[in-house]
Amino acid sequence: MGSKSDSSVLAPGIKLLEQLETPMTVTITSAHRTPVKMMQFATEAADKGIKVIVAAAATVAINNSINAAQLAARILASSDINADIRKRLKRHLADQTSSVLEDSVSRLFAPKGKVLVARHLSVCDARFPDAVKELYGELRLHAWWTRIEEGLWCERDEFSPGLDNCNNRVLDDSQFLMSLRIGNPFDMVPDLPMVRDEGGVGFDRTPRTLDSHERTFTHANANANGNGNGNGNGNHNAAINRGFDIPPAFPTNTRKSISHPLPAENGALHSPPLRLNSNGTFWPPLKAVPLASYYKLHRVPSLDSLTAMADAQSDDGALPIELPRSETAHVEEPQDKSPPPNGIHNKLLDHVVRTPGRQPSPQPTHLGVPGPGQHRVLQEQGSGYVAPIFEGKEQQMDQVMDQIEEKGFIPSEFVESETNWFYNELGIDDMYFQTETVDAIVNHILSLYAGKIAAFARDDGRLEIRLDKEAADHAVYIDTSKPGVSVADGPRYEQRIDEKYINGSVGDSSYRVESFRSASHLPGEKAQQLRCYFVYKCDFANPNPGPEETNLDIIGEKRFLQKATQNTKDIYQEVMNHAVARTGPVIETFEIEGSREKRLVIAYRQGSAMGLFSALSDLYHYYGATSSRKYVEQFSNGITIMSIYLRPLPQSAPTVKHPPIEASIHQIMKEVSLLYCIPQNKFQGHFASGRLSLQETIYAHCVWVFVGHFLNRLGSEYTSLASILDPNNSAHAEMLAKIKRRLRTETFTSDYILEIINKYPDLVRALYLAFANTHYVQTRGEQDDFLPTLSYLRLKEDPILDDNQLKDKISKQVVNEHDDMVMTAFRVFNAAVLKTNFYTPTKVALSFRLNPTFLPEAEYPQPLYGMFLVISSEFRGFHLRFRDIARGGIRIVKSRNKEAYSINARSLFDENYNLANTQQRKNKDIPEGGSKGVILLDVHHQDKVRVAFEKYIDSIMDLLLKPASPGIKDPIVDLHGQEEILFMGPDENTADLVNWATEHARKRGASWWKSFFTGKSPKLGGIPHDAYGMTTLSVREYILGIYRKLSLDETTVRKLQTGGPDGDLGSNEILLGREKYTAIVDGAGVLVDPQGLDRTELLRLAKKRVMISDYDTSKLSSTGYRILVDESNITLPSGEVVNNGMTFRNTFHLRGGNQFDVFVPCGGRPESIDLSTVNRLIVDGKSTIPYIVEGANLFITQDAKLRLEKAGCILYKDASANKGGVTSSSLEVLASLSFDDQGFEENMCIRADGSVPAFYDAYVKEVQQTIKKNAALEFEAIWREHQQTRIARSTLSDTLSIAITKLDEELQKTELWKNLELRTSVLQDALPKLLLEKIGLDLIVRRVPDNYLRAIFGSYLASRFVYEHGSSPSQFAFFEFMSKRMARLDQQPGDHGTTHVNGVGA
């Protein structure tokens, strides 16, 4: 025992052991006061022959030593050498059983008693009715049993205040859990099952539910001394394991149990009637408050409204909700199959039975779902961590007390108690004491004591302790903490830990965190405890493992491996195996045996969820839970695992303000994935305070992003002004451009929008509910396993307003026009969203498929077909396309600083729109329309290129793929209603990521994975543009076309090129061209030689793909020079001084001066030449550069192009010149769609040994010829049109594109497609000859989607017609064109509907 004071409690047990003649010894040893003695005793016990140790701590706590003594005797009696003890124990237990039965019966009809029993009670122990008969007579027994058989509820007292009189209340016709309880009905928790054997009655501590072969009869003995055959400690916990979680209403030591076997029967368990009493409590209390009622109380309505709600459920006021039941219990389905009130089955979150064959979503997130096959119970009771014993702890403690006494701050009589409190009562493990110095510990103790003293000086007397210490390799934070409360104005230690340690954890600079709440309350502060955080720099067992390594012993941190129990390691190993295979988080939950505590485990890749640690606290606080312990573990393979022990708030049990943790844990798990997408949203304060839910704040965050991009429109005034001014007048055009730029910048800043939204949380809630009512899947049929979550039930509790009501509500609440514009934009957003993954629990970023019709036509004259908006904490991005079948690259935009980010954010959508529009014009003679994706990295996440790309791709795929498993990958509400396929490719900063995207699409089960991305590795069937010069081939056709038309000698043409030998387009332009290069500008700087740069040296750089910084300057002439961006104050050969190399590089292409004949932009930022700078290239009304072929996208603005052409420049714009890459990609897509998986791998994939399939090599050559042919056709058409009309070539390029696109779309809708002969003829001309020979037209038609084939048909006919007849043909031109083609059909013999299928594996 711990002290002599325990002896009075232990005396009955000691006496029983003496009666049983059991050899024993009694000793006093304390884990706190004499830890060394305790350890020595435990170490030597076995050698001394001790078989059983009764540790008195628990015994004292329950005031019952009889149970402990009996259990000790039973253990000894199980051995054959203790047969005498077994006999004595058997006699003792038999005597006790009889005594308990008699005592129970004698109290059965006590004045203060109450009975709740089930039918068929008479099948129990035969002695029980006999004992009743003997005491009360035959008549009394018959009358009592008749009432039970009739299903009546017997109540005979006023024991529970506030309960309605329930005498003669009829139960529904079902069997209840067989439980006999005398005493307070709220203490209706069945006790631990007991089993009979030869040794007597003993405890069965295996967690299980009662089945039809065993029922437990429990009664509460009024005697509090604990004598008899009972269990006082494990009862409540065991009850919890069976699904009964109402805490006992009086001490457990007054409870006794008997268990008797019953004959087998079909014992089905059904729900008792649930009624709401006048005092706001439910009866019966055994799991009496259904989960749905908790959900509806999430907004905490008044008890009056609760009563009304309950009465509305049925005629008698009963709530038709199933009670919780164990997954192992036999359940008889009710015969009544009428639809539930809301059209769904309200199945329990932790006991849902899923449809066979459904599996968790394969990618990207692993979400553990409670239920059969998933129910996880941890047998381990502790924290899962055991710190190694610190041998010098007592000596250190003495040194600490000595130093504290020397300092004199704490009175000497309190030194020992304060030190003991710090060492032994805060729960700090030995790792801390081993890590910290004596001086540091002394400072911590003094700081805590100072906090106690400071509390007396406060007016409110509140004890507030805040302590932090940050060293190079570890940190300690201690703070006063009220369980379940997020403090916004405190020291915010968790946010500091996120920012300083967890967010930046990578490699050797990783940090693990341990946090726990003190078990005891602070002196005088019952509501507050101490929260401790310990941060340690990681010391990995293996700092550099393989990327796929999962063995914890290899990748684990040494302290973790030392402290974690085997159970914890097993959990982490399982989670780790999932995490390495996924891009998103792994979210699992585990039950803690014998407790309502839940262990939430989350794993994710380092750096992919900034601020998650602190944000999780706000999440579980919102649902009425608090954490007892938290751990953040880092692993050297780049995975972070968090483990959080959650329990309900102490005060939440008797209230209905929060759902029970058994229900809320599932909602928390689902919302972790939402939190993972945006851990720290812009409205976090409203969430932390409980004003708004997590869904509402993240919804507001997404609309804030949306508003920032689309509220800054130019308006009708700008449109009117533009119509008045003359666009051909350079002054007018320049003025409009400036006004446009200023309007976009100054109207609504992101901070101003944020300020407005923050003022209207009630409006945000109403607008969110309208959004949720549309997009949250509310029912999927009677037989499906739909889970009614808190999200769903909020929609049933709160009023949903239609758009007119929302409009009226906004107009009444906003205070000015700007506020009205911002809040009205929420309605625009809601109306625009066609589908979203917002409610899909397995997501890594939020994606919205928007209807783009809200865009003003005056600003975006070419209507978009589709728009995706993707939002995450690391980025925001769009994907825009102009047609259903469209293709374009995905680029990532970085920002050097906040100012650059602000500029990039303002122009993000417009740049994306312009790029996609350029792509649309470029794609004029291929089946795919134009599309583009742009990802803007957040200013604080410039290093998260890969993370952003993976999240962007995966979240868009959420809206393209069908769900895999309801409850995990739920269906989405699809207002678009059509299957969509996107075709993407590489662009800035994404070229090395497309292989991942292709493999990821295959892992997620996308049937179109082969064609999803172009530009992928040749090993995956890709045709790399750079390796084969695909883009450059079309640019060269335009350059050579100019030389041919003007009879120029290519070798004498002086050439300026932006985009150097390190890039795709720049390097291939150098390799294919033969011009006299006089200047090259790239990322490194400027290289100039008026005499011509050395061609051999340029070829060397282009082949090596290096920048001009590697150019051998010894090969420059006397007038040549090189200026790098980091150089300054350099004097050129002409005597000009360059003050800043960066500025010189950025403006060199504007120097003009008749130095160049042709300018080919092969790289550079969009709008490098605009209306404000183009005049620098025009002297005396004439362009200083005669010929420009725009290889880089959007390098020159359209108005600047027109100005240059007016000044005499021959200019071919990007949409025409650099379409070679898109042609190559289109034919790559076509091959991917035409082959099956086997044929694709055999014919289109470079083998592991580097060998190239013969088909692949031949197909690439055919692609190159097609690029040249298409470019030549368009060049001739534009040249001819310009000669005839004198319309600017850059305008003609757009006109041709629009004409082809418009005719293409019309042709696809005409009856021409239904003409089988014509269709076959066109497809045979349009499709690559090699594909037709290898696969055959019939098989291609079966494999390629119909809408894609229609696009091929339309684009081929349209492009050939427009190239031949121009953009404005006569009304008879198309008739003539089609007549010629139909005539060809008449001349071709044979059946054109079939072709040969050639090739095995095709």
Side-chain angles (χ1 to χ4, degrees):
M1 65 189 78
S3 66
K4 292 182 180 178
S5 61
D6 296 337
S7 58
S8 59
V9 179
L10 297 178
I14 295 173
K15 182 178 179 180
L16 174 60
L17 291 173
E18 290 174 343
Q19 292 173 354
L20 296 175
E21 302 178 26
T22 304
M24 64 178 171
T25 181
V26 180
T27 185
I28 297 174
T29 178
S30 169
H32 301 299
R33 290 181 292 276
T34 59
V36 175
K37 180 181 176 183
M38 170 69 80
M39 187 170 60
Q40 182 179 4
F41 173 80
T43 304
E44 298 173 354
D47 294 337
K48 292 181 179 180
I50 296 175
K51 302 298 183 184
V52 181
I53 297 176
V54 179
T59 305
V60 174
I62 62 173
N63 199 30
N64 189 343
S65 62
I66 297 294
N67 284 349
Q70 288 183 166
L71 182 57
R74 283 206 66 209
I75 293 171
L76 291 172
S78 64
S79 172
D80 293 339
I81 62 175
N82 293 316
D84 292 339
I85 295 178
R86 183 160 61 249
K87 292 177 182 178
R88 291 191 290 271
L89 179 62
K90 188 173 182 179
R91 287 196 302 271
H92 168 77
L93 294 176
D95 293 342
Q96 286 295 99
T97 301
S98 299
S99 173
V100 169
L101 281 170
E102 292 174 5
D103 183 61
S104 299
V105 174
S106 67
R107 301 181 60 78
L108 184 63
F109 292 96
K112 295 288 183 180
K114 191 181 298 285
V115 179
L116 172 63
V117 295
R119 295 167 57 189
H120 309 305
L121 194 61
S122 58
V123 300
C124 299
D125 195 311
R127 292 176 296 170
F128 199 89
D130 290 342
V132 176
K133 189 190 303 181
E134 180 180 340
L135 288 172
Y136 295 102
E138 182 74 31
L139 181 62
R140 189 71 176 271
L141 174 64
H142 181 266
W144 172 72
W145 188 253
T146 299
R147 291 171 65 83
I148 299 302
E149 284 291 317
E150 291 174 354
L152 300 182
W153 190 315
C154 306
E155 292 196 21
R156 292 175 164 266
D157 69 291
E158 297 75 34
F159 190 86
S160 297
L163 288 176
D164 294 336
N165 191 321
C166 299
N167 285 334
N168 298 328
R169 181 172 295 169
V170 179
L171 307 178
D172 57 357
D173 186 19
S174 60
Q175 292 177 293
F176 295 114
L177 181 67
M178 298 186 176
S179 176
L180 173 62
R181 168 69 76 195
I182 301 174
N184 185 348
F186 276 84
D187 186 25
M188 208 167 285
V189 182
D191 287 337
L192 195 67
M194 304 181 72
V195 294
R196 289 184 177 277
D197 59 22
E198 293 183 359
V201 180
F203 301 102
D204 177 10
R205 293 188 174 273
T206 306
R208 58 196 172 91
T209 53
L210 305 178
D211 55 27
S212 60
H213 300 283
E214 182 178 56
R215 296 292 185 268
T216 301
F217 298 84
T218 309
H219 74 277
N221 196 321
N223 297 327
N225 59 11
N227 293 331
N229 174 26
N231 172 27
N233 190 24
N235 303 334
H236 185 215
N237 291 340
I240 291 173
N241 284 332
R242 294 183 223 117
F244 304 97
D245 60 358
I246 301 299
F250 53 83
T252 56
N253 64 323
T254 62
R255 203 178 302 144
K256 303 174 187 176
S257 285
I258 333 162
S259 181
H260 304 282
L262 297 179
E265 58 172 315
N266 186 17
L269 306 180
H270 293 279
S271 309
L274 302 174
R275 299 182 182 277
L276 187 67
N277 296 313
S278 58
N279 68 341
T281 58
F282 284 92
W283 178 260
L286 188 64
K287 206 70 169 184
V289 184
L291 302 182
S293 299
Y294 269 109
Y295 299 146
K296 294 180 180 181
L297 289 171
H298 193 62
R299 295 281 182 206
V300 198
S302 64
L303 290 175
D304 293 336
S305 64
L306 177 59
T307 305
M309 175 197 70
D311 291 341
Q313 296 295 324
S314 62
D315 294 336
D316 63 353
L319 296 170
I321 307 297
E322 296 179 4
L323 278 184
R325 52 197 191 204
S326 168
E327 63 194 61
T328 58
H330 172 75
V331 180
E332 183 180 272
E333 291 296 331
Q335 297 303 311
D336 182 15
K337 294 295 184 179
S338 59
N342 295 324
I344 61 166
H345 285 297
N346 191 347
K347 297 187 179 180
L348 298 180
L349 298 175
D350 50 346
H351 300 301
V352 61
V353 179
R354 298 203 162 277
T355 305
R358 284 181 176 163
Q359 300 298 325
S361 176
Q363 292 288 334
T365 302
H366 174 88
L367 179 72
V369 174
Q374 297 281 344
H375 190 64
R376 316 290 295 278
V377 179
L378 302 181
Q379 312 295 328
E380 192 171 53
Q381 298 292 321
S383 66
Y385 288 79
V386 179
I389 296 174
F390 178 29
E391 301 291 350
K393 187 174 181 180
E394 285 194 8
Q395 182 181 357
Q396 184 193 68
M397 190 174 175
D398 290 338
Q399 295 174 356
V400 168
M401 287 190 287
D402 290 341
Q403 281 201 23
I404 293 175
E405 279 194 286
E406 290 176 7
K407 292 182 179 293
F409 183 73
I410 300 178
S412 57
E413 61 269 25
F414 295 148
V415 169
E416 184 173 358
S417 61
E418 289 296 319
T419 306
N420 186 67
W421 175 71
F422 184 81
Y423 267 78
N424 298 320
E425 295 186 31
L426 293 185
I428 303 175
D429 66 24
D430 282 10
M431 181 68 73
Y432 163 82
F433 296 106
Q434 283 182 298
T435 303
E436 293 291 351
T437 64
V438 170
D439 290 339
I441 296 172
V442 168
N443 288 334
H444 294 169
I445 294 174
L446 292 177
S447 299
L448 296 178
Y449 184 76
K452 298 178 185 178
I453 300 299
F456 290 99
R458 295 170 61 104
D459 293 336
D460 56 6
R462 182 177 159 196
L463 179 57
E464 199 170 74
I465 297 174
R466 289 173 181 171
L467 171 69
D468 61 271
K469 180 208 169 181
E470 297 174 351
D473 60 349
H474 69 283
V476 177
Y477 304 94
I478 300 177
D479 186 24
T480 46
S481 171
K482 185 177 180 180
V485 176
S486 295
V487 181
D489 58 349
R492 299 174 66 82
Y493 287 144
E494 291 194 350
Q495 286 79 2
R496 192 192 300 188
I497 291 171
D498 262 332
E499 294 168 4
K500 293 196 67 172
Y501 300 105
I502 301 178
N503 289 351
S505 284
V506 60
D508 293 337
S509 298
S510 298
Y511 292 85
R512 60 184 301 271
V513 180
E514 298 182 13
S515 174
F516 55 83
R517 185 180 299 280
S518 63
S520 59
H521 295 287
L522 294 174
E525 292 279 348
K526 292 187 177 180
Q528 293 205 100
Q529 299 167 310
L530 281 185
R531 183 98 216 179
C532 304
Y533 303 90
F534 300 96
V535 182
Y536 302 99
K537 190 171 184 179
C538 292
D539 181 13
F540 293 113
N542 182 352
N544 300 300
E548 303 299 319
E549 182 60 64
T550 60
N551 189 330
L552 293 190
D553 291 331
I554 296 175
I555 61 178
E557 200 273 340
K558 291 180 181 178
R559 288 187 186 87
F560 164 77
L561 296 174
Q562 189 179 25
K563 293 178 65 174
T565 62
Q566 188 58 46
N567 185 61
T568 293
K569 290 179 181 178
D570 291 343
I571 293 172
Y572 279 29
Q573 186 65 69
E574 179 183 347
V575 169
M576 178 63 70
N577 293 340
H578 288 303
V580 168
R582 283 165 171 76
T583 57
V586 174
I587 308 166
E588 282 281 10
T589 185
F590 300 86
E591 311 280 339
I592 306 296
E593 184 182 29
S595 168
R596 295 183 69 192
E597 192 170 62
K598 313 293 179 184
R599 187 173 184 180
L600 179 65
V601 181
I602 303 166
Y604 59 92
R605 296 185 180 275
Q606 287 179 338
S608 65
M610 302 297 202
L612 183 63
F613 178 66
S614 56
L616 283 169
S617 298
D618 295 335
L619 176 58
Y620 56 73
H621 289 168
Y622 185 83
Y623 288 109
T626 185
S627 62
S628 57
R629 301 179 300 282
K630 296 192 281 191
Y631 300 91
V632 180
E633 301 294 352
Q634 308 287 354
F635 297 88
S636 58
N637 65 345
I639 299 294
T640 298
I641 299 182
M642 294 183 182
S643 187
I644 304 173
Y645 291 74
L646 297 176
R647 58 179 58 171
L649 293 175
Q651 68 270 27
S652 66
T655 69
V656 289
K657 290 186 177 181
H658 297 288
I661 195 168
E662 290 76 13
S664 63
I665 187 64
H666 185 70
Q667 186 73 18
I668 289 170
M669 288 178 66
K670 295 186 77 171
E671 292 190 20
V672 165
S673 73
L674 193 60
L675 203 60
Y676 175 83
C677 297
I678 309 176
Q680 300 290 335
N681 70 74
K682 289 294 182 179
F683 304 93
Q684 192 80 14
H686 284 302
F687 175 48
S689 65
R691 187 83 181 266
L692 294 174
S693 69
L694 180 65
Q695 292 101 323
E696 289 161 349
T697 56
I698 291 186
Y699 162 77
H701 179 99
C702 293
V703 182
W704 168 74
V705 172
F706 175 85
V707 172
H709 288 292
F710 299 110
L711 191 61
N712 287 327
R713 299 299 91 195
L714 305 180
S716 59
E717 294 85 354
Y718 174 84
T719 306
S720 300
L721 180 62
S723 65
I724 295 171
L725 298 178
D726 180 8
N728 296 319
N729 185 309
S730 59
H732 290 187
E734 189 168 346
M735 181 190 302
L736 277 176
K738 290 181 179 178
I739 292 174
K740 182 177 182 180
R741 195 175 299 113
R742 177 169 294 182
L743 285 173
R744 291 279 173 83
T745 303
E746 296 180 355
T747 312
F748 285 90
T749 65
S750 60
D751 289 339
Y752 183 41
I753 296 169
L754 186 64
E755 178 186 334
I756 292 173
I757 299 174
N758 265 315
K759 292 192 294 187
Y760 302 105
D762 292 336
L763 282 180
V764 169
R765 179 178 298 117
L767 289 157
Y768 165 76
L769 286 172
F771 169 82
N773 190 51
T774 300
H775 294 285
Y776 187 84
V777 179
Q778 300 185 29
T779 181
R780 296 202 304 276
E782 174 122 358
Q783 302 305 319
D784 211 342
D785 56 1
F786 174 69
L787 300 179
T789 62
L790 296 174
S791 302
Y792 169 78
L793 288 152
R794 286 176 193 141
L795 299 179
K796 300 304 174 185
E797 176 64 16
D798 296 326
I800 311 296
L801 305 181
D802 62 28
D803 190 61
N804 288 329
Q805 291 172 318
L806 286 171
K807 181 179 179 181
D808 184 60
K809 186 179 181 71
I810 291 171
S811 65
K812 289 178 179 178
Q813 292 195 20
V814 297
V815 296
N816 57 50
E817 183 182 359
H818 278 188
D819 291 12
D820 182 73
M821 291 174 66
V822 170
M823 300 314 295
T824 298
F826 277 73
R827 292 174 46 230
V828 175
F829 176 81
N830 285 359
V833 177
L834 297 177
K835 51 185 174 180
T836 176
N837 69 348
F838 192 93
Y839 295 103
T840 298
T842 50
K843 57 183 172 290
V844 294
L846 296 171
S847 56
F848 304 89
R849 169 59 162 91
L850 302 177
N851 184 342
T853 54
F854 67 88
L855 295 172
E857 184 179 353
E859 298 178 49
Y860 303 101
Q862 297 298 323
L864 287 168
Y865 176 87
M867 175 193 304
F868 288 86
L869 169 63
V870 185
I871 301 172
S872 177
S873 59
E874 297 88 1
F875 70 94
R876 64 183 62 177
F878 288 98
H879 185 275
L880 310 178
R881 74 189 199 273
F882 282 89
R883 286 167 58 179
D884 180 18
I885 300 297
R887 201 203 67 81
I890 309 299
R891 67 168 51 182
I892 294 179
V893 178
K894 295 183 177 182
S895 309
R896 286 192 214 92
N897 48 46
K898 288 185 178 180
E899 182 181 0
Y901 174 78
S902 180
I903 295 171
N904 289 334
R906 284 198 300 268
S907 63
L908 174 64
F909 180 80
D910 284 351
E911 179 178 332
N912 198 159
Y913 178 89
N914 291 332
L915 287 168
N917 199 13
T918 301
Q919 195 78 23
Q920 170 77 353
R921 295 193 299 270
K922 212 184 290 184
N923 292 10
K924 58 180 72 69
D925 45 13
I926 62 174
E928 299 96 344
S931 72
K932 208 72 171 182
V934 179
I935 302 168
L936 175 63
L937 294 177
D938 184 80
V939 66
H940 301 297
H941 298 281
Q942 293 298 299
D943 59 336
K944 296 294 188 302
V945 170
R946 187 177 189 90
V947 169
F949 179 82
E950 291 180 357
K951 289 186 176 184
Y952 174 90
I953 294 299
D954 196 86
S955 60
I956 288 180
M957 289 180 66
D958 284 341
L959 303 185
L960 302 179
L961 296 174
K962 293 181 179 180
S965 47
I968 302 175
K969 202 70 173 175
D970 286 328
I972 59 175
V973 175
D974 187 355
L975 302 181
H976 181 57
Q978 300 178 27
E979 185 176 357
E980 295 184 283
I981 302 176
L982 300 185
F983 302 106
M984 301 179 180
D987 206 315
E988 290 182 15
N989 299 310
T990 62
D992 59 339
L993 299 172
V994 296
N995 289 347
W996 174 89
T998 303
E999 294 287 8
H1000 188 62
R1002 174 156 56 176
K1003 288 179 181 177
R1004 287 199 63 177
S1007 60
W1008 30 261
W1009 68 270
K1010 302 188 297 295
S1011 59
F1012 184 40
F1013 256 87
T1014 57
K1016 53 187 176 289
S1017 165
K1019 292 182 178 179
L1020 292 171
I1023 301 176
H1025 298 173
D1026 57 349
Y1028 296 103
M1030 299 302 193
T1031 305
T1032 310
L1033 286 173
S1034 61
V1035 173
R1036 291 300 304 170
E1037 280 300 314
Y1038 282 85
I1039 296 172
L1040 294 174
I1042 293 173
Y1043 298 160
R1044 185 175 63 252
K1045 292 292 184 182
L1046 300 179
S1047 300
L1048 298 177
D1049 181 0
E1050 178 183 355
T1051 60
T1052 64
V1053 174
R1054 297 172 300 168
K1055 186 175 184 179
L1056 163 65
Q1057 177 178 310
T1058 57
D1062 60 316
D1064 166 16
L1065 190 54
S1067 62
N1068 283 304
E1069 180 65 22
I1070 292 172
L1071 292 172
L1072 295 177
R1074 296 187 299 128
E1075 295 92 344
K1076 179 182 177 182
Y1077 273 93
T1078 54
I1080 294 179
V1081 182
D1082 69 3
V1086 178
L1087 181 65
V1088 178
D1089 194 334
Q1091 306 303 316
L1093 295 168
D1094 185 272
R1095 177 161 178 78
T1096 304
E1097 181 66 4
L1098 286 179
L1099 291 175
R1100 183 184 69 84
L1101 298 184
K1103 291 175 181 178
K1104 288 184 63 178
R1105 287 292 180 91
V1106 294
M1107 290 191 284
I1108 60 170
S1109 54
D1110 278 29
Y1111 187 90
D1112 183 358
T1113 55
S1114 67
K1115 297 183 182 299
L1116 290 171
S1117 70
S1118 59
T1119 56
Y1121 58 87
R1122 183 185 66 188
I1123 303 294
L1124 301 180
V1125 292
D1126 56 356
E1127 294 179 332
S1128 59
N1129 299 320
I1130 304 296
T1131 302
L1132 302 181
S1134 64
E1136 179 186 354
V1137 177
V1138 176
N1139 295 317
N1140 184 288
M1142 178 71 74
T1143 303
F1144 186 74
R1145 189 279 307 269
N1146 292 344
T1147 59
F1148 183 83
H1149 61 283
L1150 300 170
R1151 290 172 69 86
N1154 297 313
Q1155 303 176 64
F1156 315 109
D1157 299 317
V1158 65
F1159 175 26
V1160 183
C1162 293
R1165 293 297 298 163
E1167 301 185 5
S1168 293
I1169 302 176
D1170 60 14
L1171 203 57
S1172 64
T1173 59
V1174 70
N1175 285 331
R1176 297 172 64 177
L1177 295 176
I1178 300 174
V1179 177
D1180 298 329
K1182 186 174 182 180
S1183 173
T1184 60
I1185 302 178
Y1187 323 118
I1188 299 177
V1189 177
E1190 188 182 25
N1193 286 326
L1194 303 177
F1195 188 85
I1196 310 172
T1197 62
Q1198 180 63 17
D1199 47 12
K1201 289 187 180 84
L1202 293 175
R1203 182 72 61 81
L1204 286 167
E1205 290 202 68
K1206 189 175 181 181
C1209 179
I1210 296 177
L1211 188 151
Y1212 282 91
K1213 67 185 301 181
D1214 52 355
S1216 297
N1218 70 2
K1219 66 179 183 178
V1222 302
T1223 304
S1224 172
S1225 296
S1226 177
L1227 294 173
E1228 180 185 327
V1229 167
L1230 180 60
S1232 302
L1233 294 172
S1234 301
F1235 281 107
D1236 60 13
D1237 285 1
Q1238 179 184 349
F1240 185 75
E1241 292 184 8
E1242 289 177 359
N1243 295 286
M1244 287 297 295
C1245 297
I1246 304 298
R1247 299 181 177 90
D1249 60 2
S1251 59
V1252 180
F1255 178 87
Y1256 181 94
D1257 192 52
Y1259 191 68
V1260 167
K1261 289 183 173 63
E1262 185 172 5
V1263 170
Q1264 290 174 324
Q1265 293 304 314
T1266 303
I1267 290 171
K1268 292 180 180 181
K1269 179 180 178 181
N1270 287 346
L1273 283 172
E1274 185 175 358
F1275 174 84
E1276 293 293 340
I1278 293 174
W1279 188 277
R1280 183 182 65 248
E1281 284 273 302
H1282 175 73
Q1283 294 293 100
Q1284 294 172 356
T1285 65
R1286 310 313 296 177
I1287 297 174
R1289 292 178 177 85
S1290 57
T1291 301
L1292 286 173
S1293 177
D1294 294 340
T1295 304
L1296 286 174
S1297 296
I1298 294 171
I1300 292 173
T1301 302
K1302 185 177 179 180
L1303 180 59
D1304 177 6
E1305 292 172 353
E1306 291 175 353
L1307 286 172
Q1308 292 185 45
K1309 299 174 184 176
T1310 65
E1311 296 295 315
L1312 292 175
W1313 172 255
K1314 296 181 180 179
N1315 185 321
L1316 184 59
E1317 284 189 331
L1318 176 62
R1319 183 199 312 173
T1320 301
S1321 173
V1322 171
L1323 291 178
Q1324 285 178 330
D1325 288 345
L1327 296 175
K1329 303 305 178 188
L1330 282 174
L1331 279 181
L1332 290 171
E1333 294 171 4
K1334 187 70 175 178
I1335 303 174
L1337 182 59
D1338 286 347
L1339 201 51
I1340 292 175
V1341 168
R1342 287 202 297 270
R1343 288 173 178 171
V1344 178
D1346 184 70
N1347 55 352
Y1348 196 92
L1349 290 172
R1350 282 175 177 264
I1352 295 174
F1353 177 84
S1355 63
Y1356 184 82
L1357 282 179
S1359 62
R1360 267 48 187 178
F1361 170 74
V1362 173
Y1363 288 155
E1364 182 178 339
H1365 295 275
S1367 58
S1368 301
S1370 68
Q1371 56 184 331
F1372 300 106
F1374 188 71
F1375 175 78
E1376 180 186 353
F1377 173 79
M1378 290 304 300
S1379 296
K1380 291 180 180 178
R1381 177 163 280 280
M1382 298 302 292
R1384 285 174 50 194
L1385 294 180
D1386 296 335
Q1387 297 172 7
Q1388 295 175 0
D1391 182 4
H1392 302 289
T1394 59
T1395 59
H1396 295 289
V1397 178
N1398 184 21
V1400 179

